[in-house]
Amino acid sequence: MSENAEVLTAEKTDDNELLVEQAYEALAGGPAKASNGIVNNQSPTKWQKWKENFKRKGWILVFILPALIYVLIFCYGPMYGILVAFQDYLPGNDIIGKDTLWVGFDNFKTFFSDPNFGNYFLNTFLLCILGFIVGFPLPIIVALLLNSVKPKKVKKGLQILYYAPHFISLVVLVGMLKLIFGSDGLLDQLSIKMGGDANGLQLFLKAEAFRPLFIFSGNWQDFGWSAIIYLAALSGVDPALHEAAKVDGASRFRRIFSVDLPAILPTIVMLMILSVGNLMSCGYEKVLLMQTDGNISTSEIISTYVYGGLMSGQYGLSTASGLFNSVINVVLLVIANFTSKKLANQSMW
């Protein structure tokens, strides 16, 4: 039976390919004729198929042309600047010129031989991986819960409540954190009044409190905004699937796992791959705003090291350390894409 099934499948595949070829011939005005007038029944080549597809759908490329130009100019264009990582560069020097002073991998050696290199790398990894573990599933959970809310007014009110923190600037956000968790902040005052330490908790001066404060505030600010993509994917779920599940006696909780999650799984996989590809990029702005002399042992990361090098005029060293961080992100992106393709049959390329 299996051999007969394979034969039937192969015949169906051949029939489908023949129909596709006939469609291409119809679009091209009928079968191609040879020079002697005899109809040439040879199947079109891949190049001919590509040309036909381009004729029919090529106009769609016009819509992505502005985005392509933007990426080429602002993303790929400046990439020649990574050559600074291999130079002793000063502002005003030509990146490629007669007076360019090439130093090879000396900047990388200086970065790797820094006594605090291991601490910078560990702090960056822990801050990013903990933020990913907490922050990636949170928007999915929120989107599933919001999608389960029936009253439209309640649903819209919750959405606005969740989206609003995204529009708070980092400076204002860190200012709020200091008013609550900083020295003489709300928690310190409550702790003193309740008979605690006379100096208060002073969480901003404690190294062990930096990561929880950073991750908590970041996820509070962005989880609602990140849930928009999942809500958009959930809006495309066929209501008939939920009706059929109800007929089968499935509870709301069961329908989330049997209907909603499988429907948004491709979106989850794509966003997970993108998040892993950006895993080692924490950004330096918020870290610098939250950094104090007391928490610098856990708050000093690669991004702040790059910023410090730029401020001290060590452009080659800063570029080398930033390039090292970017290479790690690319490697993680490739690994995540390969793993997703093998396990979930979903990938970016």
Side-chain angles (χ1 to χ4, degrees):
M1 290 295 292
S2 60
E3 293 180 358
N4 293 333
E6 292 177 359
V7 171
L8 291 174
T9 303
E11 290 177 354
K12 284 185 178 181
T13 304
D14 294 338
D15 293 341
N16 291 336
E17 291 179 354
L18 181 60
L19 290 173
V20 172
E21 291 172 5
Q22 290 175 353
Y24 279 116
E25 290 175 357
L27 290 170
K33 293 184 178 180
S35 59
N36 56 4
I38 300 174
V39 176
N40 185 6
N41 291 321
Q42 292 182 354
S43 60
T45 62
K46 289 184 178 180
W47 171 247
Q48 291 173 335
K49 292 180 180 179
W50 186 88
K51 286 197 298 184
E52 292 299 332
N53 279 329
F54 185 80
K55 288 179 182 178
R56 289 185 288 116
K57 302 178 181 179
W59 59 272
I60 300 177
L61 297 176
V62 176
F63 292 95
I64 67 172
L65 191 59
L68 179 62
I69 294 173
Y70 173 84
V71 170
L72 290 175
I73 294 176
F74 294 101
C75 296
Y76 285 95
M79 284 182 66
Y80 76 97
I82 63 175
L83 296 174
V84 174
F86 308 94
Q87 302 173 3
D88 185 8
Y89 180 80
L90 291 175
N93 292 353
D94 293 331
I95 294 180
I96 300 178
K98 295 181 180 179
D99 299 330
T100 302
L101 181 59
W102 297 92
V103 296
F105 291 94
D106 288 353
N107 289 321
F108 292 93
K109 293 178 181 177
T110 302
F111 177 54
F112 295 145
S113 61
D114 190 300
N116 295 317
F117 167 74
N119 192 40
Y120 299 151
F121 184 84
L122 181 62
N123 288 341
T124 304
F125 179 77
L126 289 177
L127 197 63
C128 294
I129 195 66
L130 292 175
F132 174 78
I133 292 173
V134 175
F136 183 76
L138 190 58
I140 302 173
I141 297 172
V142 171
L144 292 171
L145 293 177
L146 284 176
N147 191 60
S148 301
V149 177
K150 295 301 180 183
K152 291 185 177 180
K153 290 185 178 180
V154 176
K155 184 176 181 179
K156 290 182 179 180
L158 290 174
Q159 286 177 340
I160 294 173
L161 183 65
Y162 292 155
Y163 299 164
H166 175 76
F167 300 97
I168 300 175
S169 70
L170 285 177
V171 176
V172 174
L173 177 64
V174 175
M176 293 168 58
L177 290 175
K178 289 185 177 180
L179 287 174
I180 299 173
F181 302 102
S183 300
D184 298 326
L186 178 62
L187 283 184
D188 280 14
Q189 296 298 326
L190 290 175
S191 176
I192 293 172
K193 288 182 178 181
M194 294 176 65
D197 192 339
N199 295 323
L201 298 176
Q202 296 186 340
L203 296 179
F204 263 76
L205 298 177
K206 295 181 179 180
E208 62 272 15
F210 172 78
R211 293 190 188 111
L213 286 175
F214 185 93
I215 295 170
F216 161 77
S217 59
N219 287 315
W220 173 78
Q221 186 178 25
D222 291 327
F223 79 91
W225 185 258
S226 301
I228 292 177
I229 299 176
Y230 300 110
L231 283 171
L234 286 168
S235 65
V237 177
D238 189 355
L241 296 175
H242 283 281
E243 295 299 330
K246 286 181 181 179
V247 172
D248 291 338
S251 63
R252 181 57 194 161
F253 186 76
R254 179 63 181 174
R255 281 184 280 132
I256 289 176
F257 285 92
S258 300
V259 179
D260 291 335
L261 271 179
I264 64 173
L265 184 59
T267 304
I268 294 174
V269 172
M270 289 297 104
L271 292 179
M272 184 194 69
I273 294 173
L274 292 174
S275 298
V276 171
N278 202 36
L279 190 61
M280 292 292 287
S281 299
C282 295
Y284 66 91
E285 300 93 342
K286 186 179 175 182
V287 177
L288 285 177
L289 290 170
M290 294 182 63
Q291 197 172 74
T292 62
D293 292 336
N295 64 23
I296 197 168
S297 61
T298 56
S299 63
E300 190 69 13
I301 60 176
I302 295 177
S303 296
T304 56
Y305 180 85
V306 172
Y307 177 81
L310 291 174
M311 292 298 99
S312 60
Q314 296 176 306
Y315 298 98
L317 179 60
S318 295
T319 306
S321 53
L323 180 59
F324 167 75
N325 199 30
S326 300
V327 169
I328 294 177
N329 282 331
V330 172
V331 172
L332 291 174
L333 176 63
V334 173
I335 293 174
N337 186 78
F338 176 80
T339 305
S340 174
K341 189 174 183 180
K342 291 295 184 182
L343 297 180
N345 200 25
Q346 296 282 342
S347 63
M348 294 183 62
W349 66 84

